[in-house]
Amino acid sequence: MKQEFVLTLEGVNKSFEGFKAISDLNFYLDDGELRVVIGPNGAGKSTMLDLITGRTRPDTGKIEFSRDTDLTRLNEAQINRIGIGRKFQTPSVYVDHTVSENIWLSLEGPRNVWATLFSRVTPAHKERIDQVLNLIGLTTKANTKAGLLSHGQKQWLEIGMLLAQNPRVLLVDEPAAGMTDEETVKTGELLLSLAGKHSIVVIEHDMTFVRQIASKVTVLHQGHVLKEGTVDQVQQDEQVIEVYLGRKKKGTH
């Protein structure tokens, strides 16, 4: 029986003015899986997320959601609505609104300015907001303006804003960047707690953080998959070592 992946990329290519950012990329994500994607700068990691979310279009190849939805035919808003949420490296929150209001504005359904002006927080909304705040560990900050949060707390809030939309797939770009060690550990715990209910792709450089959260790692290089395996398997792989360090281990040929 053919496996049903929540996300499938096959034979994907993307060039920008002659530069091949993605080259014959094949990537498969299981339902409920947490996958970490690593690779040197310019490996195509962010471009891969851009292609999945419709920010850019592949030149060739297949990108499918749940084996029945062709993402290359949808725009960004449509892809977001069917259940694929993305968190960029730099937090994007409503700094003049409270933490609770940020979650409220992100809830499933019509939450644009006009819809919000003529709606109210129902008991069901309040319950959902409280659930999300508890998940991201910001219950005590519910009435704090988002602009007053620490960098790590803003990152958690933005993850919460994505969770409020109840996505099936979460794409998270370098969540540990700029965090304290304590915040990094908490972020790892948060992502691990979400796996299973959500399918998650994390792009990351911090290998300590990768080791904390990853059961399977995909290494990208020059726009295609160089290696997949456990953290130990990819860190000990000769090709991966060469890509990251620009040389092979001493004593190897």
Side-chain angles (χ1 to χ4, degrees):
M1 184 177 174
K2 203 171 187 181
Q3 177 145 8
E4 295 295 314
F5 298 107
V6 70
L7 201 59
T8 301
L9 286 78
E10 286 185 343
V12 177
N13 291 277
K14 180 64 184 180
S15 295
F16 297 99
E17 298 178 349
F19 170 70
K20 199 151 195 180
I22 297 293
S23 178
D24 195 28
L25 176 63
N26 298 306
F27 180 87
Y28 307 92
L29 184 70
D30 287 329
D31 196 17
E33 180 184 2
L34 191 164
R35 178 80 61 85
V36 179
V37 178
I38 66 172
N41 291 332
K45 303 182 297 295
S46 292
T47 302
M48 183 179 89
L49 299 193
D50 287 344
L51 289 165
I52 293 168
T53 55
R55 290 193 95 198
T56 189
R57 302 282 183 192
D59 298 328
T60 56
K62 178 172 76 172
I63 305 177
E64 285 186 344
F65 176 56
S66 295
R67 285 283 182 193
D68 58 6
T69 303
D70 181 357
L71 296 181
T72 66
R73 296 179 178 274
L74 305 179
N75 61 35
E76 279 188 85
Q78 291 169 325
I79 290 172
N80 180 263
R81 280 198 295 272
I82 64 172
I84 298 178
R86 179 177 182 179
K87 188 207 163 313
F88 291 87
Q89 183 177 343
T90 304
S92 177
V93 299
Y94 303 108
V95 294
D96 292 325
H97 287 75
T98 67
V99 169
S100 184
E101 288 167 346
N102 270 265
I103 302 299
W104 155 240
L105 288 166
S106 305
L107 289 173
E108 280 185 285
R111 283 291 173 276
N112 58 39
V113 174
W114 291 107
T116 306
L117 281 173
F118 296 104
S119 62
R120 63 186 181 86
V121 181
T122 66
H125 291 149
K126 179 70 167 62
E127 183 179 0
R128 180 60 181 150
I129 291 167
D130 289 344
Q131 285 176 347
V132 172
L133 290 175
N134 185 55
L135 264 176
I136 61 176
L138 291 180
T139 300
T140 60
K141 300 287 185 181
N143 297 316
T144 301
K145 283 197 174 183
L148 299 176
L149 298 177
S150 71
H151 173 72
Q153 289 169 337
K154 286 176 183 171
Q155 298 276 31
W156 302 332
L157 175 55
E158 190 168 24
I159 291 173
M161 292 165 71
L162 283 182
L163 293 175
Q165 300 164 24
N166 202 28
R168 191 168 169 196
V169 175
L170 276 168
L171 308 174
V172 187
D173 199 346
E174 295 193 41
M179 285 190 175
T180 65
D181 290 345
E182 183 183 359
E183 288 174 336
T184 299
V185 170
K186 286 185 178 179
T187 301
E189 291 169 350
L190 170 59
L191 291 171
L192 286 169
S193 76
L194 299 175
K197 184 176 180 183
H198 306 271
S199 306
I200 307 170
V201 177
V202 179
I203 287 178
E204 191 49 69
H205 285 290
D206 183 335
M207 289 307 295
T208 301
F209 181 66
V210 171
R211 187 170 286 280
Q212 179 191 352
I213 67 172
S215 56
K216 186 174 182 180
V217 178
T218 297
V219 184
L220 287 192
H221 176 53
Q222 296 180 346
H224 67 271
V225 174
L226 179 68
K227 176 78 175 179
E228 284 186 336
T230 65
V231 178
D232 286 336
Q233 285 171 338
V234 300
Q235 285 195 309
Q236 293 166 14
D237 184 83
E238 290 295 337
Q239 283 185 297
V240 175
I241 292 167
E242 189 173 12
V243 162
Y244 267 104
L245 301 181
R247 57 178 171 78
K248 293 190 177 181
K249 274 184 176 175
K250 191 174 180 181
T252 61
H253 300 283

